């Protein structure tokens, strides 16, 4: 198939690479430029999102936030200007569910289908084609795109209609943030009490407290490897979606708000670009103790 890919950052770059490994021709566009290692027999650099959409049957966007998706789709020389009837637009960014529904309506009016398909798994999952992909859209469009999703991920679910994939991703980010906070508290407690946090983590990995976050991010906390990964500023964006959505739904998410404040503390100390596992640094500042 002829695939378009707009947004070739930490996540988009390996995702596009995996599509090319699967034998597909991929038309590429990114700011400030397309990574040179993607350009070749299966990777064709384009000068705009419009050019990508003109050449491709299915166009994927993978950019940081809601305004970036809107610009990629509907800005000057955007995807919408290059669409023709029957094409499918797939947004794999993590953005606002309400705005997603509006974007879908505008794409549908052009005679094209829209799927929101945010992902979880971070850079490691993107590189290993092991992402979890949460989709919102209609079944026929999903069925057509699913073989592409299978080149990028393992756990692929059509959650419901447009916007439901993004709602699922917000729920995912709530769980991830709260679990990072819990792992951080546990390892900080163990370290301050004089136990070896590495041994504590090893023991916990065999019990009911075991999780992927304890495995991966617990190790990051102990080894102090906070290069992203998934940047704190992006998780802040996702929790903003959760908290603004909660206000609209008139529900309380108290522990989500606490995690956001811990991320805010990291950002205030120059940590916006740290990996989100570095939330533990805010807890360490409160305790005046660093895990070691």
């Amino acid at each position: 198939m002829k695939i378009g890919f707009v947004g070739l950052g930490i996540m988009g770059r390996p995702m596009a690479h995996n599509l090319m490994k699967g034998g597909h021709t991929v038309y590429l566009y990114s700011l400030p430029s397309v990574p040179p290692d993607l350009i070749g027999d299966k990777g064709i650099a384009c000068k705009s999102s419009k050019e990508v959409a003109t050449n491709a049957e299915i166009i994927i966007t993978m950019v940081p936030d809601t305004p970036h998706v809107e610009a990629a789709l509907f800005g000057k020389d955007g995807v919408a200007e290059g669409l023709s009837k029957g094409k499918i637009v797939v947004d794999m960014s993590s953005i606002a569910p309400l705005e997603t529904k509006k974007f879908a309506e505008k794409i549908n009016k052009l005679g094209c289908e829209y799927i929101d398909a945010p992902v979880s798994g971070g850079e490691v999952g993107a590189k290993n084609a092991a992402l979890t992909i949460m989709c919102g859209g209609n079944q026929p469009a999903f069925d057509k795109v699913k073989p592409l999703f299978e080149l990028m991920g393992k756990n692929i679910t059509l959650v419901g209609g447009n916007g439901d994939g993004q709602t699922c991703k917000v729920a995912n980010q709530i769980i991830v943030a709260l679990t990072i906070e819990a792992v951080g508290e546990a390892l900080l407690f163990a370290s301050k009490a004089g136990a070896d946090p590495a041994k504590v983590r090893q023991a916990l990995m065999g019990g009911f407290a075991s999780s992927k976050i304890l495995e991966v991010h617990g190790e990051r906390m102990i080894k102090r490897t906070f290069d992203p990964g998934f940047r704190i500023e992006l998780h802040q964006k996702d929790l903003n979606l959760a908290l603004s959505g909660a206000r609209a739904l008139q529900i309380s998410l108290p522990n989500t708000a606490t995690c956001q404040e811990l991320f805010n503390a990291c950002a205030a100390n120059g940590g916006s670009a740290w990996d989100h596992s570095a939330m533990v640094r805010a807890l360490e500042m409160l305790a005046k103790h660093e895990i070691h």
Side-chain angles (χ1 to χ4, degrees), residues 202-275:
Q202 181 181 337
L204 295 177
M205 283 300 298
F208 203 48
S210 178
S211 70
K212 195 70 175 177
I213 288 171
L214 177 62
E215 177 189 352
V216 177
H217 289 341
E219 184 176 45
R220 280 178 172 270
M221 293 173 191
I222 293 163
K223 293 186 175 179
R224 323 305 294 172
T225 51
F226 295 128
D227 294 335
F230 186 76
R231 299 191 304 276
I232 280 176
E233 62 187 350
L234 294 178
H235 210 145
Q236 285 179 293
K237 176 260 298 183
D238 293 337
L239 294 192
N240 280 339
L241 296 176
L243 294 170
S244 62
R247 284 194 298 273
L249 294 168
Q250 296 186 319
I251 61 173
S252 175
L253 302 178
N255 292 322
T256 301
T258 297
C259 288
Q260 184 71 309
E261 289 303 323
L262 292 170
F263 280 142
N264 291 346
C266 291
N269 284 273
S272 294
W274 295 343
D275 185 79

Side-chain angles (χ1 to χ4, degrees), residues 70-133:
E70 184 172 24
L73 294 179
F74 306 112
K76 187 178 185 303
D77 292 324
V79 168
E81 293 183 13
L83 291 176
S84 53
K85 191 173 181 179
K87 295 188 175 186
I88 301 175
V89 174
V90 182
D91 178 39
M92 302 188 78
S93 319
S94 296
I95 67 168
L98 182 60
E99 294 304 306
T100 290
K101 292 179 182 181
K102 294 177 182 178
F103 296 163
E105 289 174 2
K106 292 173 75 171
I107 294 297
N108 292 159
K109 287 178 180 178
L110 298 174
C112 299
E113 295 293 343
Y114 188 98
I115 298 175
D116 48 294
V119 303
S120 178
E123 183 182 11
V124 173
K127 287 182 175 178
N128 295 331
L131 294 168
T132 291
I133 306 175

Side-chain angles (χ1 to χ4, degrees), residues 270-290:
S272 294
W274 295 343
D275 185 79
H276 58 167
S277 60
M279 180 199 287
V280 73
R281 284 183 162 174
L283 296 170
E284 290 171 336
M285 284 185 273
L286 291 170
K288 295 184 179 179
H289 176 83
E290 185 177 291

